[in-house]
Amino acid sequence: MSRDPSKHKKRTKLAWKKHAIAYRQKLRLKKALRISLIVLGSLALCLVLYIAYASKYVRYGRDGAHIDFRSSNKDAAVQEASRSESQDPIEAEVVYESKTPAITEQGPFKGYYVTTKQLQHAEELYDAADALDHGSTVMLELKSIYGYYYYHTSISGTELAEFDIDAVETLISKLKSRGCNLIALIPAFPDNVFAEANFSCALPTAEGYLWLDENRSYWLNPADETVLSYLEQIAKELSSKGFSEVVFEDFTFPASASIHYNSSKSRQQVVADAAKRITTFFEGSNLIISFATDSMEFPTQDISGRLYIDGVDAAQLDRLIDNYSGGTLDAETQLVFITDSKDSRFDAYSTMQLLS
């Protein structure tokens, strides 16, 4: 049987055309695959770069970690500039002419305290403030353990808490209008913001990292002169805002073995020297410098202000009083117990209860 040449040519042409189409499809698929891989690789690289960039802005709060892009984008030059600024004294007035009567001349008092958690909704305390007796004593926690301020501060390099600070200022004004004796409670050495801007002022680990406590807070070195000057600036500013007393809490040297510590002085002696330095700085002024602790070993030999003690069970009261009465501290006038207990054993001493 003879084959038709024209039909053979037609079948050959169709086969070639199908092969060409299949080949072009393969090329398009390969090209699309390459483009997809390039896009995915670019997205992965962007994600890595974003994570590296955003890690500088991670902030830890009591409700967990979050990213705060309001934090200053500090490179090495900015960090150094921030450190230089933080060492400059602020223009805050501290009166030295009209000295406040000595603590020992004042009797026990009953006051109230306000936490940073409450200040996040400061407007809810307005009615309680208006209902206070004239001249009441009120202590406000005005800085978090992460270094965020709950009042408008002019200290360089500081950051405000992400809440309505104007509402806090209004609360302070209401308390002033009631003639309240205002006390500021300030965490001394836990401070992420200052530590991140001043690495050499923070406590390091043996590996060279900044040491973190269980709250994910960096701690400042109690032996560092810049740190102590920073605390003095805070106290000066609060004095100029009408606070009669500044209480420094977390005024201690953590006992963690992870901290790289190289000094001939004991950690307790370092804390004692720091307390003496700040107390001496304000001697003769109208500002009282006090400290808050939950330890029975706080150095009190050079303390002229008060010692605020939190979390004391009434059953332990006599033992604690005996412990501090053996030193230079006058228990009846210089010890203040932060407690909401109604136990009558606290009646002979100064106490602070939650304002609500």
Side-chain angles (χ1 to χ4, degrees), residues 199-303:
F199 297 123
S200 64
C201 295
L203 292 176
T205 64
E207 294 79 16
Y209 302 106
L210 296 187
W211 181 79
L212 280 168
D213 66 11
E214 66 277 5
N215 295 312
R216 306 294 294 171
S217 177
Y218 297 127
W219 278 62
L220 307 180
N221 185 354
D224 191 279
E225 288 293 317
T226 301
V227 171
L228 299 182
S229 294
Y230 169 58
L231 297 183
E232 289 166 356
Q233 288 182 54
I234 296 173
K236 287 170 63 178
E237 181 173 65
L238 289 167
S239 176
S240 70
K241 290 178 70 68
F243 286 82
S244 63
E245 183 175 357
V246 172
V247 181
F248 288 112
E249 67 173 343
D250 294 318
F251 202 91
T252 186
F253 200 125
S256 173
S258 301
I259 297 173
H260 178 64
Y261 179 67
N262 184 20
S263 174
S264 58
K265 294 182 178 180
S266 68
R267 300 188 187 204
Q268 187 176 23
Q269 185 59 51
V270 168
V271 173
D273 290 347
K276 181 179 180 180
R277 149 78 184 262
I278 297 176
T279 298
T280 302
F281 184 87
F282 289 98
E283 276 185 357
S285 75
N286 66 330
L287 183 67
I288 298 170
I289 297 296
S290 300
F291 301 91
T293 185
D294 57 3
S295 170
M296 295 191 55
E297 298 180 355
F298 190 88
T300 59
Q301 58 269 27
D302 296 302
I303 302 301

Side-chain angles (χ1 to χ4, degrees), residues 60-347:
Y60 296 94
R62 298 187 188 277
D63 55 350
H66 67 282
I67 295 178
D68 179 11
F69 286 109
R70 297 188 313 162
S71 304
S72 53
N73 48 343
K74 307 179 182 71
D75 55 19
V78 176
Q79 290 172 10
E80 186 60 32
S82 176
R83 179 177 179 181
S84 298
E85 289 177 355
S86 68
Q87 297 182 46
D88 295 334
I90 61 170
E91 296 299 325
E93 180 184 4
V94 180
V95 179
Y96 284 87
E97 296 177 355
S98 55
K99 183 179 178 181
T100 298
I103 290 291
T104 53
E105 298 175 7
Q106 302 177 13
F109 63 89
K110 308 300 176 184
Y112 303 91
Y113 68 92
V114 178
T115 67
T116 52
K117 184 176 181 179
Q118 289 178 289
L119 292 180
Q120 294 170 14
H121 306 282
E123 66 280 357
E124 296 179 3
L125 294 174
Y126 289 170
D127 290 342
D130 290 336
L132 287 174
D133 293 336
H134 184 84
S136 295
T137 295
V138 181
M139 179 170 69
L140 299 97
E141 186 180 9
L142 292 177
K143 185 169 80 75
S144 76
I145 59 174
Y146 304 104
Y148 298 108
Y149 284 70
Y150 281 73
Y151 69 93
H152 289 301
T153 174
S154 61
I155 299 177
S156 300
T158 55
E159 296 183 25
L160 300 182
E162 295 180 351
F163 301 99
D164 189 353
I165 303 301
D166 288 335
V168 177
E169 294 284 359
T170 298
L171 176 63
I172 293 173
S173 296
K174 283 181 172 291
L175 293 172
K176 284 183 178 180
S177 69
R178 300 295 300 164
C180 291
N181 176 39
L182 294 181
I183 302 173
L185 180 66
I186 300 293
F189 299 127
D191 193 317
N192 285 16
V193 174
F194 193 86
E196 290 171 358
N198 304 270
F199 297 123
S200 64
C201 295
L203 292 176
T205 64
E207 294 79 16
Y209 302 106
L210 296 187
W211 181 79
L212 280 168
D213 66 11
E214 66 277 5
N215 295 312
R216 306 294 294 171
S217 177
Y218 297 127
W219 278 62
L220 307 180
N221 185 354
D224 191 279
E225 288 293 317
T226 301
V227 171
L228 299 182
S229 294
Y230 169 58
L231 297 183
E232 289 166 356
Q233 288 182 54
I234 296 173
K236 287 170 63 178
E237 181 173 65
L238 289 167
S239 176
S240 70
K241 290 178 70 68
F243 286 82
S244 63
E245 183 175 357
V246 172
V247 181
F248 288 112
E249 67 173 343
D250 294 318
F251 202 91
T252 186
F253 200 125
S256 173
S258 301
I259 297 173
H260 178 64
Y261 179 67
N262 184 20
S263 174
S264 58
K265 294 182 178 180
S266 68
R267 300 188 187 204
Q268 187 176 23
Q269 185 59 51
V270 168
V271 173
D273 290 347
K276 181 179 180 180
R277 149 78 184 262
I278 297 176
T279 298
T280 302
F281 184 87
F282 289 98
E283 276 185 357
S285 75
N286 66 330
L287 183 67
I288 298 170
I289 297 296
S290 300
F291 301 91
T293 185
D294 57 3
S295 170
M296 295 191 55
E297 298 180 355
F298 190 88
T300 59
Q301 58 269 27
D302 296 302
I303 302 301
S304 59
R306 299 184 177 94
L307 192 63
Y308 289 73
I309 304 175
D310 192 9
V312 176
D313 189 285
Q316 301 173 327
L317 193 57
D318 290 340
R319 177 169 167 264
L320 190 143
I321 297 296
D322 291 341
N323 175 75
Y324 282 116
S325 296
T328 58
L329 208 66
D330 183 80
E332 291 188 1
T333 57
Q334 288 181 272
L335 287 185
V336 182
F337 298 99
I338 303 174
T339 177
D340 292 321
S341 171
K342 304 299 182 182
D343 195 297
S344 60
R345 284 174 285 189
F346 285 106
D347 292 348

Side-chain angles (χ1 to χ4, degrees), residues 28-65:
R28 284 196 293 269
L29 287 173
K30 287 182 179 179
K31 185 177 180 181
L33 181 60
R34 283 198 300 270
I35 293 174
S36 299
L37 290 174
I38 291 172
V39 171
L40 289 174
S42 300
L43 290 174
L45 178 61
C46 291
L47 179 61
V48 171
L49 292 175
Y50 174 79
I51 292 173
Y53 171 77
S55 63
K56 300 184 298 181
Y57 299 93
V58 175
R59 294 292 178 265
Y60 296 94
R62 298 187 188 277
D63 55 350

Side-chain angles (χ1 to χ4, degrees), residues 4-22 24:
D4 187 345
S6 62
K7 289 183 177 180
H8 175 71
K9 288 182 180 179
K10 188 177 292 185
R11 284 196 298 269
T12 303
K13 188 175 182 180
L14 288 172
W16 180 87
K17 187 178 291 185
K18 289 179 179 179
H19 176 75
I21 292 172
R24 285 195 295 270

